[in-house]
Amino acid sequence: MRLHFTFSFLQLLGCILCPGLSFVQAQNCPENIDFESGTFNGWNCFIGTTTVFNRENEISLYPSGGAIPGRHTMYTKNSSNERDPYGGFPVNCPNGSGKSIRLGNDLAETEAEGVSYEFTIPANQNVYSLIYHYAVVFQDPHHEIFQQPRLVLEITNVTDNQLIECSSFTFIPYGSLLPGFYLSPNPGGNTPIWCKDWSAVSINLNGHAGKKIRLFFKTADCTFRRHFGYAYIDVNSECNSEFVGAAYCPDDNFLNVTAPFGYQKYTWYNNSFTQVVGSQQTISFSPLPVSGTTYAVEVMPYNGYGCTDTLYARLADTLTLKARAGVDRISCNGESVQLGVNSIPGLAYSWNPVAGLSNPKISNPFTSPAISTQYVLTTTNAGGGCADKDTVMVQAVILDSSIRVIGSAQYCSDSRDSSILRVQSGDIIEWYKDNRRITGAGNLDYRVTESGTYHAVLFNEEGCRVSTAKQTIRIDDPVAGIRYPIQYAVIDLPFDLKARKFGDSILWMPGTFLNTRSSYTPVFNGPSEQLYTIEIRTASGCLTVDTQLVKTAKRAEIYVPNAFTPNGDGLNDHLRPLLMGIKEVRFFKIFNRWGHLLFESKTDRPGWDGNINGTPQSNQVLVWVVEGLGVDNFLYRRKGTTVLIR
């Protein structure tokens, strides 16, 4: 079950009074309200929980002292155009801003998060507007309304301790379609999810000159720990109060003026409100209007979430542009690098040459040129005027990232082999084993003395940094050979043998009476005993030689010694059955004379060592019973007595 909140984009619109008209003018942006520093500087971050008290939802938040990973996450806009997985809208608001944050996560743990920002309206600005944009996605688990997940938006006049009611509200999904919402096509389960694309709210702050204003955004899970939510916030990086296109170029061929993004309805008027001149977010003019002409646009938010407001734009042919191709870049070994800067709505971009560019018509394309290339960016207004050019140089640098093995990549430690890793270039070299840097290793050659996976990171004076491929080196120590316990097979009946399971290949010698020589579990079938040597080799060349003696009997049988001496001298220390032609022990049980079970096993080894829970048992007569399955597929059951002697 999932809940997903999203809201975004605070665009400050400041206004000053003119005789008879109020029109939009530029203002200074509060520091980092747009997150463009890539930090939360200036913002207060909160975390907490949500619960129910007296059938009321309570969100309890406390300052977190900064961004908490996974709960306050910073994003940078890139060329992938990532979209919200539930709502399908872009995670960056369509306003050209380069930074956004995510508030919350997808863990349903009754978590709550918040961010707030405070700023003071200039003392001389009694006409002032604030616009914020939001988009929301809700999972609707059909709880009681006070148990549902929610998004809370609060705009407060801190100076007078007054909530600005018209622009503060709470989204709570509760079984019905909210205005402007649609069902998610990817709910990820049976619970419905309501989504709302980017929308805007106007805050009329007229008469608040010199007042401190606080923006506070809160999200909360449901109170049952089963439904979650998170939010994106994206503040306009062009903190400018003019409409896009309000300032234009004298040599433009046409003019598009765009009101703030995200309202449900737009109505454009002439400056006397006697004529409706448009009903879309963008209004177009061709030929160009007279410089100084003023237009008004009435913006209507989605029903119930904000107030209708009227904004003004004074059109002026005063625009000048500065093309920004960005700083010179280095492309290392064909690495893709990004040119330019974030786009500005209403401008057009053209790059030359176009070869290798991801898109020559955007402000910040990616490129990976094969040779060093100088790119020229031409920036114009959307109407074609105010052309300006800038250049950027991309230096293509090749740093040889190949790695060679001198000697053997795998060998046995008792051989005369060795491994040396060698790289071909690099002003600075760092060697790594299993992704951990090797202190003091900085030469072109590195002699390997331990098994592991190695690579090098190479740096050159141009600033390139590349990693080599990874190379695995295997150095094995030889394993000492052993003699296996004698195995007893029934004459001319198949009997399974087993070798130690290590190494990469095995060879039984001779191959007499065996169905295969190259298996760890060959089958013996012969008339007489046979001694085998077993060569086990690793891929590195280490050789181990074990031995196995197979004796034969006329029939399957189980024997148990009539006495054993568990005194630690290495002789007869364990009581165990002696198997002849038995391929499986069903059970081996030992009892004392009172019938108490002392030991039980389903294998013949290692047997009983004469201890109970680590306590040595005294001299006594024991009763044993054993049952096994012979190679002839008959069950053999034997019982008897044995004397324990200390």
PDB file of all heavy atoms in Angstrom, residues 166-177:
ATOM      1  N   CYS A 166      -6.549  31.968   3.175  1.00  0.00           N
ATOM      2  CA  CYS A 166      -6.919  31.686   1.790  1.00  0.00           C
ATOM      3  C   CYS A 166      -5.882  30.823   1.078  1.00  0.00           C
ATOM      4  O   CYS A 166      -6.210  30.107   0.143  1.00  0.00           O
ATOM      5  CB  CYS A 166      -7.098  32.999   1.042  1.00  0.00           C
ATOM      6  SG  CYS A 166      -7.836  32.806  -0.595  1.00  0.00           S
ATOM      7  N   SER A 167      -4.632  30.873   1.545  1.00  0.00           N
ATOM      8  CA  SER A 167      -3.562  30.144   0.871  1.00  0.00           C
ATOM      9  C   SER A 167      -3.013  29.006   1.704  1.00  0.00           C
ATOM     10  O   SER A 167      -1.983  28.426   1.369  1.00  0.00           O
ATOM     11  CB  SER A 167      -2.432  31.124   0.516  1.00  0.00           C
ATOM     12  OG  SER A 167      -2.924  32.169  -0.288  1.00  0.00           O
ATOM     13  N   SER A 168      -3.679  28.681   2.804  1.00  0.00           N
ATOM     14  CA  SER A 168      -3.255  27.582   3.679  1.00  0.00           C
ATOM     15  C   SER A 168      -4.370  26.550   3.721  1.00  0.00           C
ATOM     16  O   SER A 168      -5.535  26.885   3.964  1.00  0.00           O
ATOM     17  CB  SER A 168      -2.967  28.096   5.090  1.00  0.00           C
ATOM     18  OG  SER A 168      -1.975  29.096   5.077  1.00  0.00           O
ATOM     19  N   PHE A 169      -4.031  25.304   3.477  1.00  0.00           N
ATOM     20  CA  PHE A 169      -5.057  24.264   3.473  1.00  0.00           C
ATOM     21  C   PHE A 169      -4.401  22.906   3.647  1.00  0.00           C
ATOM     22  O   PHE A 169      -3.177  22.766   3.626  1.00  0.00           O
ATOM     23  CB  PHE A 169      -5.893  24.301   2.187  1.00  0.00           C
ATOM     24  CG  PHE A 169      -5.090  24.529   0.940  1.00  0.00           C
ATOM     25  CD1 PHE A 169      -4.457  23.474   0.303  1.00  0.00           C
ATOM     26  CD2 PHE A 169      -4.965  25.804   0.411  1.00  0.00           C
ATOM     27  CE1 PHE A 169      -3.717  23.687  -0.848  1.00  0.00           C
ATOM     28  CE2 PHE A 169      -4.217  26.017  -0.742  1.00  0.00           C
ATOM     29  CZ  PHE A 169      -3.597  24.956  -1.370  1.00  0.00           C
ATOM     30  N   THR A 170      -5.263  21.885   3.816  1.00  0.00           N
ATOM     31  CA  THR A 170      -4.806  20.512   4.033  1.00  0.00           C
ATOM     32  C   THR A 170      -5.457  19.598   3.004  1.00  0.00           C
ATOM     33  O   THR A 170      -6.678  19.642   2.820  1.00  0.00           O
ATOM     34  CB  THR A 170      -5.160  20.030   5.449  1.00  0.00           C
ATOM     35  OG1 THR A 170      -4.530  20.895   6.398  1.00  0.00           O
ATOM     36  CG2 THR A 170      -4.682  18.600   5.670  1.00  0.00           C
ATOM     37  N   PHE A 171      -4.630  18.778   2.340  1.00  0.00           N
ATOM     38  CA  PHE A 171      -5.139  17.753   1.434  1.00  0.00           C
ATOM     39  C   PHE A 171      -5.308  16.463   2.223  1.00  0.00           C
ATOM     40  O   PHE A 171      -4.356  15.965   2.833  1.00  0.00           O
ATOM     41  CB  PHE A 171      -4.158  17.495   0.287  1.00  0.00           C
ATOM     42  CG  PHE A 171      -4.151  18.565  -0.762  1.00  0.00           C
ATOM     43  CD1 PHE A 171      -3.114  19.471  -0.825  1.00  0.00           C
ATOM     44  CD2 PHE A 171      -5.177  18.650  -1.687  1.00  0.00           C
ATOM     45  CE1 PHE A 171      -3.093  20.447  -1.803  1.00  0.00           C
ATOM     46  CE2 PHE A 171      -5.158  19.623  -2.665  1.00  0.00           C
ATOM     47  CZ  PHE A 171      -4.114  20.532  -2.727  1.00  0.00           C
ATOM     48  N   ILE A 172      -6.518  15.876   2.192  1.00  0.00           N
ATOM     49  CA  ILE A 172      -6.775  14.588   2.842  1.00  0.00           C
ATOM     50  C   ILE A 172      -7.602  13.742   1.880  1.00  0.00           C
ATOM     51  O   ILE A 172      -8.751  14.079   1.588  1.00  0.00           O
ATOM     52  CB  ILE A 172      -7.548  14.749   4.163  1.00  0.00           C
ATOM     53  CG1 ILE A 172      -6.834  15.743   5.091  1.00  0.00           C
ATOM     54  CG2 ILE A 172      -7.728  13.401   4.850  1.00  0.00           C
ATOM     55  CD1 ILE A 172      -7.636  16.085   6.331  1.00  0.00           C
ATOM     56  N   PRO A 173      -7.067  12.635   1.358  1.00  0.00           N
ATOM     57  CA  PRO A 173      -7.887  11.762   0.502  1.00  0.00           C
ATOM     58  C   PRO A 173      -8.937  11.061   1.353  1.00  0.00           C
ATOM     59  O   PRO A 173      -8.639  10.528   2.413  1.00  0.00           O
ATOM     60  CB  PRO A 173      -6.862  10.772  -0.058  1.00  0.00           C
ATOM     61  CG  PRO A 173      -5.798  10.708   0.982  1.00  0.00           C
ATOM     62  CD  PRO A 173      -5.720  12.081   1.599  1.00  0.00           C
ATOM     63  N   TYR A 174     -10.185  11.047   0.876  1.00  0.00           N
ATOM     64  CA  TYR A 174     -11.227  10.425   1.683  1.00  0.00           C
ATOM     65  C   TYR A 174     -12.334   9.876   0.807  1.00  0.00           C
ATOM     66  O   TYR A 174     -13.486  10.249   0.909  1.00  0.00           O
ATOM     67  CB  TYR A 174     -11.788  11.427   2.697  1.00  0.00           C
ATOM     68  CG  TYR A 174     -12.599  10.767   3.797  1.00  0.00           C
ATOM     69  CD1 TYR A 174     -12.024   9.786   4.606  1.00  0.00           C
ATOM     70  CD2 TYR A 174     -13.921  11.114   4.017  1.00  0.00           C
ATOM     71  CE1 TYR A 174     -12.753   9.180   5.611  1.00  0.00           C
ATOM     72  CE2 TYR A 174     -14.660  10.520   5.018  1.00  0.00           C
ATOM     73  CZ  TYR A 174     -14.076   9.546   5.810  1.00  0.00           C
ATOM     74  OH  TYR A 174     -14.797   8.938   6.815  1.00  0.00           O
ATOM     75  N   GLY A 175     -11.944   8.999  -0.129  1.00  0.00           N
ATOM     76  CA  GLY A 175     -12.928   8.214  -0.856  1.00  0.00           C
ATOM     77  C   GLY A 175     -13.637   8.919  -1.989  1.00  0.00           C
ATOM     78  O   GLY A 175     -14.567   8.371  -2.563  1.00  0.00           O
ATOM     79  N   SER A 176     -13.267  10.150  -2.335  1.00  0.00           N
ATOM     80  CA  SER A 176     -13.930  10.829  -3.439  1.00  0.00           C
ATOM     81  C   SER A 176     -12.902  11.631  -4.224  1.00  0.00           C
ATOM     82  O   SER A 176     -11.825  11.954  -3.727  1.00  0.00           O
ATOM     83  CB  SER A 176     -15.037  11.760  -2.924  1.00  0.00           C
ATOM     84  OG  SER A 176     -14.478  12.765  -2.096  1.00  0.00           O
ATOM     85  N   LEU A 177     -13.243  11.968  -5.447  1.00  0.00           N
ATOM     86  CA  LEU A 177     -12.335  12.675  -6.328  1.00  0.00           C
ATOM     87  C   LEU A 177     -12.235  14.135  -5.904  1.00  0.00           C
ATOM     88  O   LEU A 177     -13.222  14.862  -5.879  1.00  0.00           O
ATOM     89  CB  LEU A 177     -12.824  12.577  -7.774  1.00  0.00           C
ATOM     90  CG  LEU A 177     -11.918  13.207  -8.832  1.00  0.00           C
ATOM     91  CD1 LEU A 177     -10.569  12.502  -8.846  1.00  0.00           C
ATOM     92  CD2 LEU A 177     -12.575  13.123 -10.191  1.00  0.00           C
TER      93      LEU A 177
END
